[in-house]
Amino acid sequence: MVVRRYAIVGLGSRAQLFARALAGSPRAELAAFCDRSETRMRVHNGWLGASVPGYRPADFPAMLAKERVDVVVVCTPDHTHADYVVAALHAGCDVVTEKPMTTGVDGARRILAARRETGHSVRVAFNYRYNPVHRRVRELLAAGAIGEIGSVEFSWLLDTAHGADYFRRWHREKANSGGLLVHKSGHHFDLVNWWLGRGPETVFAFGRLFFYGDGNGHRRTAADDRFALDLEASPKLRALYRDAEREDGYVRNQDVFAPGVTIEDDLSVLVRHRGGVVLNYHLHAYSPREGYRVAFAGSEGRLELDVRENEFPAGAVPAPEPGRARLTVQRHWAPSEVVLDEVLGEGHGGGDERMLAELLGDAEPDELGCAADHDSGLQALLTGLAADRSLATGAPVPVDELLAEIGEPA
Ligand SMILES: NC(=O)c1ccc[n+]([C@@H]2O[C@H](COP(=O)([O-])OP(=O)(O)OC[C@H]3O[C@@H](n4cnc5c(N)ncnc54)[C@H](O)[C@@H]3O)[C@@H](O)[C@H]2O)c1
């Protein structure tokens, strides 16, 4: 059995998933951590009962050589992904990066060039693909359950706990996260690309900051403190963030109504995909409940997926409840058939665990093509970047314009 040596860069919340899986896999050796916070690296070692050597960002290239790293897992804030991906590829490593692959044209150009030059792989952790319900949608569409697809409606609701969380930390600045169209909708755009087997061609968007941010302070009421995140109340949040604040000044619980928000919280996007299918997409981040609906209109009928996650948040800490998914297919001139109506598993419908098993080589590659490479990372990013550009210009954006800037063929 081949055992590969892994390093994780960015030891915040998301890294836990990878650290635990790597520490428990017979095919992996957790060789190094890299973060600007010594505290967070120490906390992760404590949780694992391990003593993985920790390095500072300036020592990243030296770390890769010294620890003989084969694969780098990138879990840092989004705007830093490109630098780590490129450095890791040039050091001879393969890369697994959290989504989004990067946040802009420049990062995409550098990643794709480094991949071509080195031949090493970049995989993007699009865990939503592995959700069994999303896999079922792909199977049904590919089997022609509703004929040829004409259009897609997709609406995603983030509640006032989960949605608000993007306004408490680094995500609130577009320079860090690319905005929700890149950071969050990237998952959804990737799903649509994967379901359709086609990437975006032309994108138009409207969006605004409607609910959070200092301009919307007039919405504050006596119940405001429901938006205040108490880091002391959670041992995990206290260890990872409160106890580390003095070290690097990262404040995890900023006021969602404080100045400095440069992202939108309500977004509408129209995407014409290559081949002609049109996606009508909406995301908002201040819903009383969490969930999503997606509907495909086909030449022979309609497929609808309705997922209800948290019915209502009790406070500021997102507390995932088991969601419920209902998937129906209705063919023309026939009653609607319920394909499934069931409770979802934990961790993105059980998708996280399946993704990890495949990424670590503990499971066979998925026959539905769940594994997302640099091209999938790019295609999801293209929709988000084009939509963001459309917000700025007020005009539809041809994706070929972005591809030309990135240096990729149309
Ligand atoms: N696929 C998913 O469902 C999912 C869910 C959550 C987060 N994510 C992704 O995971 C990544 C991390 O998110 P998170 O919620 O863990 O964030 P986080 O803020 O909790 O953790 C980020 C970590 O990176 C470190 N860091 C910041 N700048 C750095 C730098 N220049 N060099 C090295 N380390 C640096 C911070 O100190 C922190 O420990 C993001 O890209 C996010 O999009 C994906």
Side-chain angles (χ1 to χ4, degrees), residues 34-92:
C34 176
D35 200 295
R36 61 183 198 186
S37 161
E38 299 279 358
T39 310
R40 276 189 282 278
M41 292 193 278
R42 198 169 50 245
V43 168
H44 276 275
N45 263 323
W47 286 339
L48 294 172
S51 48
V52 178
Y55 292 81
R56 307 307 294 246
D59 301 323
F60 181 73
M63 171 191 90
L64 297 180
K66 179 162 180 233
E67 302 295 345
R68 295 173 288 109
V69 173
D70 300 306
V71 186
V72 174
V73 179
V74 180
C75 293
T76 50
D78 307 346
H79 68 293
T80 67
H81 290 183
D83 285 347
Y84 283 116
V85 172
V86 169
L89 289 171
H90 282 301

Side-chain angles (χ1 to χ4, degrees), residues 14 35 40 75 78 81 84 98-99 170 183 241 250:
R14 188 62 180 165
D35 200 295
R40 276 189 282 278
C75 293
D78 307 346
H81 290 183
Y84 283 116
E98 260 306 344
K99 44 54 56 174
W170 49 266
H183 175 83
Y241 303 107
Y250 174 12

Side-chain angles (χ1 to χ4, degrees), residues 355-380:
M355 177 185 75
L356 286 168
E358 192 183 275
L359 283 174
L360 303 185
D362 292 336
E364 288 301 311
D366 185 281
E367 72 284 1
L368 289 177
C370 283
D373 63 4
H374 58 280
D375 190 50
S376 303
L378 173 67
Q379 294 300 325

